[in-house]
Amino acid sequence: MGIAHRFAALGLGLALVGATQAGAQPIVKAPAGTVRGVEAEGQRVFRGIPYAEAPVGERRWKPPVALPAWAGVRDASTFGPACQQPPAPPSSIYAETYPAMSEDCLSLNIWAPKNARKAPVFVWIHGGNLVRGSSQQAMFDGAALARRGMLVVSINYRLGIFGYFAHPELSAESPDGISGNYGVMDQIAALRWVKANIGAFGGNAGNVTIAGESAGGLAILHLLVAPQARGLFSKAIVQSASLMNLPELKAMRHGVPSAETLGTHYAGAIGATSLAGLRAISGPDLVARAVKAGFASTAIVDGKLIPRQLVETFERGEQAKVPLMTGFTAGEIGTMKSILPGLPDPSSFTAASYEAKIRASYGPLADAFLHLYPAGDIGKMMLAAARDGFFAWNSQKLVREQARAGQPAFLYYFDHATPASDAAGIHAFHASEVPYMFGTIGRVTPLWPAIPDTPAERALSDAMVDYWASFARTGTPRAFGQPAWPSHNERAAYMHFTDKPRVEANLKPAEYALHDQVFCRRRAAGNLPWNWNVGVIAPPLPAAAEGCK
């Protein structure tokens, strides 16, 4: 079937011509200035367009600065530098290197159909633990989604200590009395740029979907709760994220020191006695010192951009009221064991000692926990409990709360693996759905388990690209020749991606009920975090509280 007929079957009609062409170098005159891109894979591609300036050096740790319109024609044929970051562990399947890095790294990329006009816009925010990553990763190439008739935008944002560092002196400098959420400010600035400029590229600024995976999915949660982001997007996709508790700017809460206290500690560990001293350190040196000091990147409840804990915002119905798609993978933790604090070697437990530890931690809920995660393969159960306690609970909590807010909410569970990933013992690992929904199964990172180039793999990828594109266009995911994906509002439905998409219902109901009860008690207690401390690394369960079953 031809691509145009495929679009028509999905309700994804192509539009008419947009920007001026200069041979194979398309030129677009946008309010921000004129850019010259390239043609690639049948699309107009514009790379490395600056959307704001990141203050550096003695101006470091300030909101992004709007840029004046530039004169002349800016070359947009190559990606901008990645944001300053430490190298990834060389053995990581996610490791990637970039030709250039900079503190001033706020650029975006656009893939646009040649004939786009008022096309839906898909804005991708990369993951990487808010420490690493870049919009230029080959896996995030937007050509396949653009062939479905939409504009794809990918962005850089400040990472690590440049994007998420709070300090009393910084808060004192701020007119709003806040500090720390510079990466969130960057993402909002990028969305404002899209709103003002995307029409020139053939996009519809009134039909923008924001999407991200892992830390990128967490970024989408931040934007869903940020009042300053309202009106900048109309749909959201959250892949493999967690409604984790965040440090609060000035107060210790849920067992986590305030962000300003943490910032003061990190500054001392880095070797600076003042804000001026921190700003005098070069970017690469600051990265190295922050890593050595154990700096942890996280957004902050500052009362302005992020008014309160994420889960509280959703429960109060104060999040953006937009259609939502969310989900997680079957093997989330297999490639990310380092995120679990102090996870012991499974071989250090016998069945009896495992059960005793669970009973000591979970008290009256221990029987339910041991029924779901019995002392058979203890290592496997450790990872399953962590997956269900965060990614599974998060996804189901999100669709329930968004449905309660009157919005369609679509849930998925990615349970597909390749021979190489199963041989490596990482079935359906964290982020393994990303190359399928981008249509880039042949462009993964160097150590990624190989995805065979077979009709079955291509068919699954085609279906997922269709579903993601359809959701971005209409708020309802549909795929050519595949089952209709019902909203979770309808009989607790979800899409199960295995060898092909299958509609099922009631995903892990007992697991959700258990972890929801645990987290409810911890939140009510007020002195315990609910991040990652599941199973054998869980603290003793607080007493039952009002509102917790």
Side-chain angles (χ1 to χ4, degrees), residues 88-98 136-139 420 426 429 435 440-451:
S91 60
S92 170
I93 65 169
Y94 308 109
E96 190 154 353
T97 57
Y98 308 110
Q136 67 186 262
Q137 289 182 245
M139 196 188 307
I426 49 173
F429 56 92
T440 53
I441 57 176
R443 304 186 66 182
V444 295
T445 54
L447 297 182
W448 198 276
I451 301 174

Side-chain angles (χ1 to χ4, degrees), residues 59-256:
R59 299 184 298 121
R60 188 182 284 154
W61 297 304
K62 290 183 180 292
V65 177
L67 294 169
W70 54 81
V73 179
R74 177 183 286 272
D75 177 68
S77 61
T78 58
F79 291 110
C83 291
Q84 200 78 53
Q85 59 191 272
S91 60
S92 170
I93 65 169
Y94 308 109
E96 190 154 353
T97 57
Y98 308 110
M101 289 192 293
S102 172
E103 280 190 67
D104 189 9
C105 57
L106 303 186
S107 66
L108 54 77
N109 319 296
I110 300 171
W111 288 259
K114 289 183 182 179
N115 301 321
R117 179 180 295 166
K118 298 287 285 184
V121 180
F122 182 93
V123 178
W124 179 256
I125 301 179
H126 70 79
N129 205 28
L130 303 180
V131 175
R132 298 183 179 89
S134 170
S135 63
Q136 67 186 262
Q137 289 182 245
M139 196 188 307
F140 305 150
D141 188 286
L145 283 165
R147 281 194 290 272
R148 266 64 170 186
M150 69 182 56
L151 269 74
V152 179
V153 179
S154 63
I155 71 169
N156 286 346
Y157 57 99
R158 281 174 284 181
L159 300 167
I161 195 166
F162 304 102
Y164 299 93
F165 177 68
H167 192 277
E169 289 186 60
L170 286 171
S171 299
E173 284 184 355
S174 165
D176 293 321
I178 62 173
S179 60
N181 285 323
Y182 305 105
V184 181
M185 296 177 196
D186 295 345
Q187 293 154 12
I188 293 171
L191 292 176
R192 287 176 176 155
W193 191 97
V194 168
K195 187 176 183 69
N197 291 276
I198 206 66
F201 296 84
N204 181 356
N207 188 6
V208 174
T209 298
I210 54 173
E213 186 272 339
S214 190
L218 184 58
I220 304 306
L221 295 179
H222 300 156
L223 294 170
L224 282 164
V225 306
Q228 293 85 343
R230 297 296 154 81
L232 299 178
F233 59 91
S234 54
K235 293 174 288 296
I237 302 175
V238 179
Q239 302 177 212
S240 296
S242 173
L243 288 162
M244 60 178 63
N245 61 280
L246 305 176
E248 307 209 356
L249 183 62
K250 294 182 180 293
M252 180 171 182
R253 189 172 177 219
H254 299 299
V256 180

Side-chain angles (χ1 to χ4, degrees), residues 148-493:
R148 266 64 170 186
M150 69 182 56
L151 269 74
V152 179
V153 179
S154 63
I155 71 169
N156 286 346
Y157 57 99
R158 281 174 284 181
L159 300 167
I161 195 166
F162 304 102
Y164 299 93
F165 177 68
H167 192 277
E169 289 186 60
L170 286 171
S171 299
E173 284 184 355
S174 165
D176 293 321
I178 62 173
S179 60
N181 285 323
Y182 305 105
V184 181
M185 296 177 196
D186 295 345
Q187 293 154 12
I188 293 171
L191 292 176
R192 287 176 176 155
W193 191 97
V194 168
K195 187 176 183 69
N197 291 276
I198 206 66
F201 296 84
N204 181 356
N207 188 6
V208 174
T209 298
I210 54 173
E213 186 272 339
S214 190
L218 184 58
I220 304 306
L221 295 179
H222 300 156
L223 294 170
L224 282 164
V225 306
Q228 293 85 343
R230 297 296 154 81
L232 299 178
F233 59 91
S234 54
K235 293 174 288 296
I237 302 175
V238 179
Q239 302 177 212
S240 296
S242 173
L243 288 162
M244 60 178 63
N245 61 280
L246 305 176
E248 307 209 356
L249 183 62
K250 294 182 180 293
M252 180 171 182
R253 189 172 177 219
H254 299 299
V256 180
S258 75
E260 289 186 350
T261 298
L262 290 169
T264 300
H265 162 77
Y266 288 128
I270 286 168
T273 58
S274 67
L275 186 55
L278 283 169
R279 285 173 165 158
I281 301 171
S282 71
D285 189 18
L286 185 58
V287 168
R289 293 194 198 191
V291 170
K292 188 175 181 180
F295 180 81
S297 288
T298 176
I300 294 156
V301 176
D302 61 11
K304 299 287 184 178
L305 278 84
I306 301 179
R308 53 178 51 86
Q309 293 294 335
L310 301 176
V311 68
E312 293 172 6
T313 299
F314 279 87
E315 289 179 343
R316 293 164 64 108
E318 295 172 351
Q319 75 278 21
K321 307 300 193 300
V322 298
L324 175 75
M325 178 196 292
T326 188
F328 63 102
T329 72
E332 289 282 7
I333 310 295
T335 54
M336 299 202 308
K337 296 175 186 176
S338 62
I339 66 175
L340 301 176
L343 186 69
D345 187 331
S347 65
S348 65
F349 288 98
T350 64
S353 64
Y354 172 80
E355 180 175 335
K357 180 65 180 73
I358 296 302
R359 292 199 178 280
S361 294
Y362 285 84
L365 301 183
D367 284 341
F369 187 100
L370 290 166
H371 174 73
L372 296 169
Y373 313 106
D377 186 334
I378 292 173
K380 183 177 180 179
M381 291 301 98
M382 286 179 176
L383 301 185
R387 174 202 63 202
D388 295 343
F390 292 93
F391 297 107
W393 174 79
N394 171 85
S395 295
Q396 295 186 79
K397 181 71 170 175
L398 285 174
V399 291
R400 290 170 186 236
E401 295 300 338
Q402 208 67 358
R404 197 161 64 90
Q407 295 298 314
F410 300 90
L411 177 66
Y412 73 84
Y413 180 48
F414 188 81
D415 193 16
H416 178 75
T418 63
S421 62
D422 275 345
I426 49 173
H427 176 94
F429 56 92
H430 183 72
S432 58
E433 86 279 22
V434 172
Y436 288 87
M437 47 80 42
F438 263 104
T440 53
I441 57 176
R443 304 186 66 182
V444 295
T445 54
L447 297 182
W448 198 276
I451 301 174
D453 184 13
T454 65
E457 298 296 322
R458 292 195 296 272
L460 178 61
S461 179
D462 283 344
M464 292 183 67
V465 177
D466 278 353
Y467 280 126
W468 265 246
S470 172
F471 178 80
R473 175 175 287 275
T474 68
T476 301
R478 295 288 181 263
F480 178 75
Q482 301 295 340
W485 185 343
S487 173
H488 190 265
N489 317 27
E490 303 172 27
R491 304 180 304 281

